[in-house]
Every structure is written in structure tokens, then in C-alpha cells.
Amino acid sequence: MENKSSKPGFHAFCIIHKASSVRLTAIQNELNNRHIHRFDSLLLNDTPSISIAQIKQILSFLSRKPLLSQSQAVLIAGDRLTYEAQQALLKILEEPPQKSLIFIEASAQELLLPTIISRCQIINLPKTNDNMVVDQHVFWEKILTQSIGERIRDASLLPTDRTECIDWIRSQIYYFRDLLQHSISKTY
């Protein structure tokens, strides 16, 4: 995302990838690169669907000045936007507040209205191994049943570069977050 999102004139980005954890990791990296503090970012992806009321929260959030950063960022789970919420989001995308960035993450462009797509810079993240989630599940199943010695041995297979380590840890956080959200949504 580094080169594409720095084009002048764009304040809204639509991040497309099949895996939520990959999209969220890419957005988090972009926020870190832009030095946007978590107090200056709003995350709308923790409910089964995003309504007009939550879109109004974006307007309220973006109407304030950033606290600890040069600009503010909003992250929206595009897969969860209702049709009405997408219509309401168009107003924000057409007249964005100054010093604001909007990231809409979705598994496919087709889930969003064409008018939203036309107002965003589309960033299709590179495809990853389709077995990535399965691999993570197998990794954690294996590690939890291993002895301490086996865990230490397998730890040598993990990334050692600081940046790669941080990215790996973030991907694991998002993996577990997705698992928790999936299990919670099944119970309700």
C-alpha cells in the first residue's frame, strides 16, 4: 500500500482481499507509516452489520481535531455495511473533512456500491496462500499440544527480523480476533 496510498487527492481507500486478517494488517501498517495514533482512529468493524447510526459516528469523530496525529483515520468493515449505511457514507466520501483518511476493507468490490468504489482508491492486496487460515489453525493446534522443547525447536521457524516479527504477531492477533468474532456471531 505504500506507493498507491500516497497519491495526492485520495483520502478514501478500499482495501480488497479475501482474508480479513490480511486487510487489517495492511491497514494497520499504513496507519503506522502515517504515524496515526490509535486515539485518532475510529474502528467500525465490531458489529454484525454497520448501520446509518454508526456512519453518523464517523461524522462526529471526523468533526473533531486530531489529538496526537496530523490526521485522523476511520476503518470500516465494508462487508458489514448495510445498503442504507453505504448511501449515508457517500456524503462523507464526497465532502471529506480535512486531514481525514477513510479505509474501507472488504473481501470483494462487488459488496460495495459502485458509487463508493468510484470515490475510493482501490487497493487489491496480493493473493496469499488460500491455506493461510488453515495453516494458522494447524500451527496453533500443534503448538498447544507440544512439549516445551518442541515449542522452542519450532520457534526457530518463525520470523526473526523485527518488522516481520511484528507483522506475524499482528496477523496472529487478527486471526484470533476473527475466530472470536466468528464464534460470537454463531452464538447470537
Side-chain angles (χ1 to χ4, degrees):
M1 275 186 18
E2 54 280 342
N3 290 337
K4 293 181 180 180
S5 61
S6 60
K7 286 184 181 177
F10 280 101
H11 72 280
F13 307 93
C14 187
I15 314 302
I16 306 294
H17 193 276
K18 194 185 307 184
S20 173
S21 59
V22 173
R23 297 188 307 260
L24 293 172
T25 299
I27 292 169
Q28 186 59 53
N29 288 340
E30 187 67 16
L31 294 177
N32 290 342
N33 290 340
R34 291 174 179 264
H35 306 289
I36 297 177
H37 194 275
R38 63 186 171 102
F39 290 150
D40 292 320
S41 58
L42 176 66
L43 182 65
L44 288 181
N45 73 343
D46 59 348
T47 59
S49 67
I50 297 174
S51 66
I52 294 175
Q54 290 164 299
I55 299 300
K56 289 179 182 177
Q57 286 178 341
I58 294 172
L59 278 173
S60 174
F61 175 79
L62 292 176
S63 68
R64 300 183 299 240
K65 289 185 179 180
L67 296 172
L68 301 171
S69 312
Q70 291 296 317
S71 55
Q72 294 174 298
V74 176
L75 181 127
I76 304 166
D79 296 353
R80 298 180 185 170
L81 282 167
T82 62
Y83 176 80
E84 294 79 13
Q86 289 188 50
Q87 293 288 345
L89 181 59
L90 282 173
K91 178 75 172 156
I92 298 171
L93 294 175
E94 288 169 354
E95 299 173 18
Q98 287 187 340
K99 297 185 178 183
S100 66
L101 296 170
I102 298 170
F103 294 93
I104 303 169
E105 52 103 1
S107 57
Q109 283 186 40
E110 296 76 27
L111 297 172
L112 300 169
L113 293 174
T115 48
I116 286 183
I117 295 294
S118 70
R119 287 166 177 79
C120 296
Q121 180 176 354
I122 305 302
I123 300 171
N124 287 300
L125 297 175
K127 290 185 179 183
T128 56
N129 184 352
D130 286 340
N131 296 324
M132 186 174 82
V133 173
V134 173
D135 291 345
Q136 286 177 318
H137 182 72
V138 169
F139 170 80
W140 286 107
E141 285 285 321
K142 180 180 172 189
I143 202 108
L144 292 173
T145 59
Q146 289 178 325
S147 69
I148 292 177
E150 291 170 323
R151 290 178 189 177
I152 292 171
R153 182 196 66 224
D154 286 352
S156 66
L157 303 174
L158 296 174
T160 55
D161 176 67
R162 183 177 192 274
T163 305
E164 288 178 14
C165 247
I166 290 169
D167 289 344
W168 183 83
I169 290 169
R170 275 197 188 109
S171 73
Q172 299 312 303
I173 291 169
Y174 291 128
Y175 167 73
F176 281 110
R177 185 177 162 275
D178 287 346
L179 277 179
L180 285 171
Q181 284 183 332
H182 184 69
S183 66
I184 289 171
S185 67
K186 279 186 170 181
T187 59
Y188 290 106

